[in-house]
Amino acid sequence: MDILLTNDDGICAPGLAAAAKALSEQGTVWVAAPASDQSGQSHHRHLSGPLRAERVEFPGAAGAWRIHGTPADCVALAVTTLINAPVGLVFSGINHGPNLSSNLLYSGTAAAALEASLAGIPAVAASCAAWDEASLRQAAQLACRAALAAARAGQTLALNLNFPAAGRYRGVRVCRADGVCRHPAPFERAGETLFFPPRSPGVWQPAGRDALALAQRYVTVTPLSAEWSDLSRLQMTAAVLEKAFGEEQHIFTGEEDT
């Protein structure tokens, strides 16, 4: 199997090397990773102007490119142009720090997996709560098993995995990413025109099921989708719009035959 490996921490990140080592035992690994840290880039894509991709050496990889772009750029460029073989799996990570609940909106790691799923390729986004060698090694081994299972399932799965620090974990939880991490602190001012994001960590209000499970030393697995519609609120939204536009406007939820 040909496996594309990428991340958002950049091509020099230790988590990328740990993933390459584990994946190289299971298939042919190709690396296409950002030239620099792209954390927080979400699903940003360069839709105009050139993308620079430099061929580099990478341990455990059949070929590797340092790409001056985002994680989503790396996936799109690699699977359509750089790799002359059908990619059977995209692996994104291992990210430095967890990607949980509302923080997935900002995650370049998760966006790379979603970009792969849009191309019809199974994908895994893997993140680890600790950054020591033992934690990365354990996360790489477990994530590799989950990734191969996703690839062999015959479906375009995109999974977001989070791993606790090394040691005995309590099990695996398939769960929702349904919490909200709020950042109430103001930006720090530096002069009249410069502002820096607050350095204080966010506050979970409320904590998501994935965040709670990870804190209890479970490996968390959340299926991701590019479907942004909140299906549970279709009827409520229709009712709100009827009040705004009037019933004569025939507000449909999209579930009816029109």
Side-chain angles (χ1 to χ4, degrees):
M1 180 190 299
D2 287 274
I3 303 168
L4 171 61
L5 173 61
T6 190
N7 71 351
D8 75 356
D9 291 319
I11 197 164
C12 295
L16 193 73
K21 184 176 181 180
L23 290 168
S24 64
E25 300 174 2
Q26 306 297 329
T28 302
V29 176
W30 305 87
V31 173
S36 59
D37 188 350
Q38 297 292 307
S39 299
Q41 287 288 343
S42 188
H43 212 125
H44 175 65
R45 282 279 311 277
H46 288 86
L47 300 179
S48 62
L51 271 178
R52 184 150 55 102
E54 302 162 337
R55 196 73 184 249
V56 296
E57 296 294 324
F58 199 95
W65 294 268
R66 178 173 55 228
I67 297 175
H68 295 263
T70 66
D73 286 330
C74 293
V75 173
L77 181 60
V79 302
T80 63
T81 307
L82 298 179
I83 302 174
N84 294 319
V87 174
L89 171 69
V90 172
F91 188 106
S92 180
I94 296 167
N95 189 66
H96 183 183
N99 277 306
L100 299 161
S101 291
S102 62
N103 285 339
L104 287 170
L105 293 171
Y106 311 106
S107 170
T109 306
L114 281 172
E115 183 67 22
S117 72
L118 291 174
I121 304 171
V124 162
S127 304
C128 190
W131 207 229
D132 58 277
E133 183 177 349
S135 295
L136 287 178
R137 184 169 58 251
Q138 176 175 282
Q141 292 169 349
L142 296 172
C144 183
R145 288 163 58 185
L148 292 172
R152 292 165 180 160
Q155 300 183 33
T156 308
L157 287 170
L159 303 178
N160 183 60
L161 283 67
N162 286 281
F163 297 91
R168 185 170 180 80
Y169 59 96
R170 297 178 63 183
V172 179
R173 286 262 178 99
V174 178
C175 54
R176 293 176 180 267
D178 55 356
V180 177
C181 186
R182 304 187 188 278
H183 298 269
F187 278 60
E188 298 176 14
R189 181 186 290 273
E192 288 298 315
T193 60
L194 288 179
F195 297 84
F196 290 91
R199 285 171 284 188
S200 57
V203 179
W204 290 107
Q205 296 176 338
R209 275 169 265 200
D210 55 350
L212 291 171
L214 183 65
Q216 296 167 354
R217 295 194 56 78
Y218 285 95
V219 176
T220 69
V221 182
T222 301
L224 303 178
S225 171
E227 167 63 79
W228 282 63
S229 304
D230 186 348
L231 299 179
S232 68
R233 295 175 181 247
L234 286 177
Q235 296 293 343
M236 183 193 75
T237 302
V240 169
L241 293 180
E242 282 183 356
K243 292 180 181 179
F245 297 114
E247 294 184 9
E248 68 278 4
Q249 294 298 318
H250 303 295
I251 308 299
F252 294 101
T253 65
E255 301 298 294
E256 307 95 335
D257 292 325
T258 56

